């Protein structure tokens, strides 16, 4: 096991500002490109990250702490951000993500009382019994997954433009 | 073709600070983990990015502009950063990368005189004739590739820790 609460928070607290720095002020060419029908552009990825801050991570932490295995997590709709009218500029979205994450990290710190809380369990609708530390590990890996998605989507925009170098650039052929 | 010089520079100028924000102050657990024997940790990825700023991108731009197809690019050793004693903290390396990139973007802007320069050609040791705009496109995709690598290496550290969620996290199984 590599999980460590402090190291988990280190990543969670860096993600929003790092993404904000990378995406703020970028041309629409980068922000609106996707990988084809049914895939997300960079802006939609940020909408999804915001949705997770609102409805996924902290509500599930709270369910584990308050209800344990007495209740099943509500299903998290991974596509809900696509259904709503999610207006606003990329800068507004990035700011919302940053503020919500900051708030959620404070909340997390206030909710966890002892190291042994990390072993508490809840019921996931598909997986059954899961531990709090597994949920927190997943939160981190979920951030990293979507950073990887952002850069992959952007990279593919230049798929044809790199010419023969495509041979060295595995990101373009996955 | 999606290549656009201004949009290319937008990404190149954001990469170092975005990575700096993400990695500065992280625990060694994140900075020193790799994907197994013969793979790079996050710190080694930064060494490689610095090496590219020194010996790859701008020297090749200059070769295209000055020598065209009269000379072949020197081979870029993608592993040279592993052979040298690359001391220094991650913060020092990130600062070096940021400063070199800033200098190289200024240099690029000063070297390019007209839009038509982007069509100029040079000789790549493996690929033969390549265009300046293909080289610049590759520079961007190379940045994005290594950001993807950084987050993948970090994510895999929690491969076991996410428990059953591994099923939803493709980054862990690639």
């Amino acid at each position: 096991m590599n999980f460590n609460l402090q190291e988990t928070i280190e990543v969670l607290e860096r993600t929003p500002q790092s993404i904000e720095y990378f995406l703020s002020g970028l041309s629409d060419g980068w922000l609106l490109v996707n990988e084809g029908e049914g895939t997300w552009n960079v802006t939609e990825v940020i909408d999804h990250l915001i949705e997770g801050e609102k409805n996924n991570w902290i509500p599930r932490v709270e369910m584990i702490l308050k209800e344990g295995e007495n209740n099943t997590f509500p299903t998290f709709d991974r596509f809900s951000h696509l259904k709503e009218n999610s207006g606003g500029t990329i800068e507004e979205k990035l700011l919302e993500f940053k503020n919500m994450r900051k708030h959620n990290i404070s909340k997390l710190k206030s909710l966890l009382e002892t190291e042994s809380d990390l072993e508490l369990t809840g019921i996931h609708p598909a997986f059954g019994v899961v531990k709090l530390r597994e949920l927190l590990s997943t939160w981190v890996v979920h951030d990293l997954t979507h950073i990887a998605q952002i850069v992959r989507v952007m990279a593919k925009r230049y798929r044809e433009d790199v010419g023969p170098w495509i041979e060295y650039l595995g990101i373009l052929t996955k």
Side-chain angles (χ1 to χ4, degrees), chain A residues 50-60 74-76 80 84:
Chain A
I50 292 169
E51 181 65 22
E53 294 305 304
K54 286 183 186 165
N55 297 319
N56 188 351
W57 309 108
I58 289 293
R60 288 182 169 190
T75 310
F76 176 62
S80 69
E84 291 169 30

Side-chain angles (χ1 to χ4, degrees), chain A residues 127-139:
Chain A
F127 303 137
V129 177
V130 289
K131 292 187 175 179
L132 182 49
R133 65 174 159 80
E134 291 170 338
L135 176 64
L136 300 180
S137 301
T138 301
W139 194 358

Side-chain angles (χ1 to χ4, degrees), chain A residues 3-159:
Chain A
F3 176 83
N4 171 298
L5 182 61
Q6 180 229 314
E7 291 177 5
T8 293
I9 291 173
E10 282 177 10
V11 177
L12 292 178
E13 66 191 5
R14 279 166 174 75
T15 302
Q17 189 152 350
S18 186
I19 295 180
E20 182 181 43
Y21 192 83
F22 199 57
L23 300 183
S24 284
L26 276 187
S27 294
D28 279 351
W30 295 119
L31 297 174
L32 301 180
V33 69
N34 65 24
E35 295 174 279
E37 205 182 324
T39 66
W40 299 351
N41 63 36
V42 164
T43 307
E44 287 165 337
V45 173
I46 305 304
D47 288 335
H48 168 74
L49 288 167
I50 292 169
E51 181 65 22
E53 294 305 304
K54 286 183 186 165
N55 297 319
N56 188 351
W57 309 108
I58 289 293
R60 288 182 169 190
V61 169
E62 287 179 316
M63 266 197 85
I64 290 176
L65 292 170
K66 289 178 190 159
E67 309 204 41
E69 298 185 20
N70 295 320
N71 218 328
T72 303
F73 300 152
T75 310
F76 176 62
D77 181 352
R78 286 187 279 169
F79 303 98
S80 69
H81 65 282
L82 302 176
K83 295 172 199 151
E84 291 169 30
N85 181 348
S86 51
T89 64
I90 187 79
E91 287 76 15
E92 287 166 348
K93 290 172 196 286
L94 291 164
L95 182 63
E96 184 178 5
F97 177 42
K98 192 169 66 169
N99 287 340
M100 291 212 68
R101 175 59 62 88
K102 199 171 172 183
H103 176 263
N104 283 339
I105 290 173
S106 296
K107 183 97 184 176
L108 176 67
K109 287 178 179 170
S110 74
L111 287 169
L112 294 177
E113 291 180 358
T114 69
E115 195 76 9
S116 62
D117 284 349
L118 297 166
E119 302 301 320
L120 293 174
T121 50
I123 305 288
H124 184 280
F127 303 137
V129 177
V130 289
K131 292 187 175 179
L132 182 49
R133 65 174 159 80
E134 291 170 338
L135 176 64
L136 300 180
S137 301
T138 301
W139 194 358
V140 168
V141 177
H142 183 266
D143 271 14
L144 299 171
T145 294
H146 288 293
I147 295 173
Q149 180 182 21
I150 286 169
V151 295
R152 187 185 68 233
V153 170
M154 290 172 66
K156 286 186 177 169
R157 182 161 180 251
Y158 275 3
R159 195 177 190 286

